[in-house]
């Protein structure tokens, strides 16, 4: 794998124009936000009618907002003053998607209603020879792991000034026995009996799911018993959740019974790794996702780090349950006990 070629170059006139546009965006953002803050201050809060508490809170939010805008201005100013850009040439070794969710607290408006707001933003990153860079989705979507790229970014603001794909990673092909041309990799699937350790793993996964479902069913039952004499409209969501969880649990139990009746078989599918990425979030645990020519799978971090693009792997699934229990690579079969 090629090591990263790092260079420091002067900003071109086009780069400076792109950075100066950040000033325009910041000014427009400042004007719109100022209008919103002014409307809230004069028409919603109305200082003459409220105590000092909401005014203090409003001032704190205003100071935070002013600090954010000032930080944007300052970063752009520093980049233009330095007049340089960082240039990276290398191979993409990993990709990451980060979803950041923000929840606001409920509050009372002048109409007396409660409002709860939830917003989320998604950020995209590529790692060029173990150095991570933030890029727009339009750039992120075009590349896969093992692609060779060239990236230019501003040192302070991390603004992507240029992004070029120098070399696309090509999936290996296999030669057919009867012809001289190359054909894409074709997946195949076979069925085999499970070993006792694999049967025990499926049993463990099954009982963990049933135990979790029973906890939810118990909670819903308590809520139904408690709210039965209350307003019926509040019972509707609880009744729907109770029925859904119960049916889902019965279906799972039926599939596990079929799995046992049919000899504890597993389906082994041979696939080829085409890409992989890490999915992070402030509201859920990190996921390690591997894309293949057949499907996308979530694996453990250990398996994720061992897999490379174009690897030929085998996916082990319990029949009827369709649960991925393990992945076979050159080093042997690794099991996904924690997924």
């Amino acid at each position: 794998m090629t090591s990263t070629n790092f260079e420091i170059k002067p900003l071109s006139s086009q780069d400076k124009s792109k950075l100066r546009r950040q000033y325009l965006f910041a000014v427009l953002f400042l004007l719109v936000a100022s209008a919103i803050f002014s409307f809230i201050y004069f028409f919603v809060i109305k200082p003459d009618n409220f105590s000092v508490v909401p005014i203090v809170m409003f001032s704190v939010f205003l100071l935070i907002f002013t600090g954010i805008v000032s930080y944007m201005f300052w970063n752009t100013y520093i980049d233009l003053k330095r007049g340089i850009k960082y240039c990276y040439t290398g191979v993409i070794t990993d990709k990451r998607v980060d979803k950041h969710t923000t929840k606001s607290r409920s509050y009372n408006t002048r109409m007396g209603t409660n409002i709860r707001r939830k917003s989320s933003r998604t950020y995209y990153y590529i790692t060029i020879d173990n150095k991570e860079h933030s890029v727009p989705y339009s750039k992120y979507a075009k590349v896969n792991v093992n692609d060779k790229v060239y990236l230019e970014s501003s040192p302070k603001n991390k603004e992507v000034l240029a992004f070029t794909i120098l070399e696309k990673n090509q999936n290996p092909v296999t030669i057919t026995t009867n012809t001289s041309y190359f054909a894409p990799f074709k997946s195949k699937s076979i069925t085999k009996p499970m070993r006792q350790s694999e049967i025990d793993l499926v049993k463990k996964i099954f009982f963990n799911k049933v135990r979790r479902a029973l906890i939810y069913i118990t909670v819903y039952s308590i809520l139904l018993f408690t709210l039965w004499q209350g307003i019926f409209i509040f019972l509707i969501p609880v009744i729907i959740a109770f029925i859904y969880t119960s049916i889902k649990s019965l279906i799972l139990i039926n599939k596990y019974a079929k799995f046992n009746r049919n000899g504890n078989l597993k389906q082994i599918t041979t696939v080829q790794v085409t890409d992989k990425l890490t999915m992070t979030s402030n509201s859920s645990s990190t996921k390690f996702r591997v894309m293949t020519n057949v499907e996308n799978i979530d694996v453990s971090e250990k398996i994720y780090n061992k897999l490379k693009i174009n690897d030929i792997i085998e996916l082990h699934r319990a029949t009827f349950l369709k649960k991925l229990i393990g992945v076979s690579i050159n080093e042997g079969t690794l099991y996904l006990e924690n997924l």
Side-chain angles (χ1 to χ4, degrees):
M1 184 171 288
T2 307
S3 60
T4 305
N5 181 13
F6 173 71
E7 295 179 281
I8 298 177
K9 297 181 180 180
L11 292 173
S12 65
S13 57
Q14 186 178 1
D15 296 331
K16 292 178 180 179
S17 298
K18 190 171 184 178
L19 287 174
R20 289 192 183 102
R21 281 200 292 269
Q22 298 299 315
Y23 283 139
L24 178 60
F25 294 147
V27 170
L28 291 176
F29 183 61
L30 181 62
L31 291 175
V32 172
S34 298
I36 294 173
F37 275 112
S38 298
F39 177 81
I40 294 173
Y41 184 79
F42 291 107
F43 296 98
V44 178
I45 293 181
K46 291 186 176 180
D48 295 337
N49 300 329
F50 281 82
S51 65
V52 73
V53 175
I55 298 177
V56 171
M57 293 179 62
F58 178 83
S59 301
V60 170
F61 281 116
L62 185 60
L63 286 173
I64 294 173
F65 172 78
T66 304
I68 294 173
V69 175
S70 300
Y71 182 75
M72 293 168 58
F73 270 100
W74 178 253
N75 284 346
T76 304
Y77 169 76
I78 292 297
D79 283 333
L80 287 170
K81 184 179 180 180
R82 289 179 178 177
I84 60 173
K85 58 184 175 182
Y86 290 165
C87 307
Y88 303 87
T89 304
V91 175
I92 296 178
T93 56
D94 200 6
K95 297 166 64 179
R96 182 167 71 93
V97 176
D98 181 63
K99 189 172 184 179
H100 191 87
T101 303
T102 304
K103 295 180 181 179
S104 62
R105 295 181 178 179
S106 59
Y107 59 91
N108 292 325
T109 64
R110 292 179 61 83
M111 300 300 294
T113 57
N114 291 325
I115 298 177
R116 190 177 299 274
R117 294 179 178 177
K118 181 179 179 181
S119 61
S120 63
R121 293 193 63 183
T122 304
Y123 304 90
Y124 301 91
Y125 301 89
I126 61 171
T127 300
I128 301 178
D129 294 337
N130 301 319
K131 182 173 178 59
E132 192 173 67
H133 305 269
S134 176
V135 295
Y137 175 76
S138 59
K139 311 297 183 185
Y140 174 90
K142 293 179 180 179
V143 296
N144 295 330
V145 173
N146 279 5
D147 288 350
K148 187 175 182 180
V149 298
Y150 172 74
L151 181 144
E152 296 179 355
S153 66
S154 57
K156 189 71 175 176
N157 215 28
K158 305 300 180 184
E159 177 74 16
V160 176
L161 303 174
F163 186 84
T164 306
I165 302 174
L166 301 177
E167 183 181 338
K168 288 290 292 182
N169 173 60
Q170 299 296 326
N171 292 336
V173 292
T174 55
I175 303 177
T176 60
T177 55
N178 299 325
T179 61
S180 59
Y181 63 87
F182 291 91
F185 175 81
K186 292 184 179 180
S187 299
K188 60 181 180 180
S189 182
I190 60 174
T191 302
K192 289 184 177 180
M194 280 189 172
R195 295 194 296 268
Q196 185 59 46
S197 58
E198 294 173 327
I199 296 173
D200 293 339
L201 175 58
V202 173
K203 182 179 179 180
K204 177 183 177 182
I205 295 172
F206 167 74
F207 279 107
N208 284 339
K209 285 189 174 182
V210 171
R211 189 181 301 111
R212 191 181 303 115
L214 288 176
I215 292 174
Y216 282 114
I217 290 174
T218 301
V219 173
Y220 296 144
S221 300
I222 295 173
L223 288 174
L224 284 173
F225 180 79
T226 305
L227 300 174
W228 191 253
Q229 300 298 326
I231 302 175
F232 184 73
I233 192 172
F234 293 123
L235 285 173
I236 294 178
V238 181
I239 292 173
I240 294 174
F242 176 83
I243 294 173
Y244 174 79
T245 306
S246 300
I247 293 175
K248 191 175 179 181
S249 301
L250 291 174
I251 292 173
L252 177 63
I253 293 171
N254 182 53
K255 287 182 176 180
Y256 183 71
K258 287 182 178 180
F259 166 74
N260 285 326
R261 286 198 304 266
N262 286 270
N264 304 122
L265 300 176
K266 65 178 178 180
Q267 186 179 39
I268 304 175
T269 306
T270 306
V271 299
Q272 184 181 44
V273 178
T274 58
D275 200 8
K276 62 179 190 176
L277 64 94
T278 305
M279 304 183 68
T280 57
S281 173
N282 65 327
S283 58
S284 61
S285 59
T286 301
K287 294 181 180 180
F288 301 93
R289 182 155 297 174
V290 175
M291 277 71 79
T292 73
N293 63 318
V294 175
E295 61 181 313
N296 299 337
I297 57 173
D298 290 336
V299 299
S300 64
E301 184 177 5
K302 180 180 179 181
I303 296 176
Y304 182 86
N305 291 332
K306 288 181 178 293
L307 292 180
K308 298 178 181 179
I309 306 304
N310 302 326
D311 280 354
I312 306 300
I313 61 175
E314 293 179 341
L315 307 181
H316 296 249
R317 279 191 168 88
T319 54
F320 297 102
L321 292 171
K322 301 299 182 183
K323 173 66 179 178
L324 182 67
I325 60 169
V327 177
S328 289
I329 58 178
N330 293 332
E331 301 177 11
T333 303
L334 303 175
Y335 294 98
L336 289 76
E337 297 188 34
N338 298 324
L339 294 180

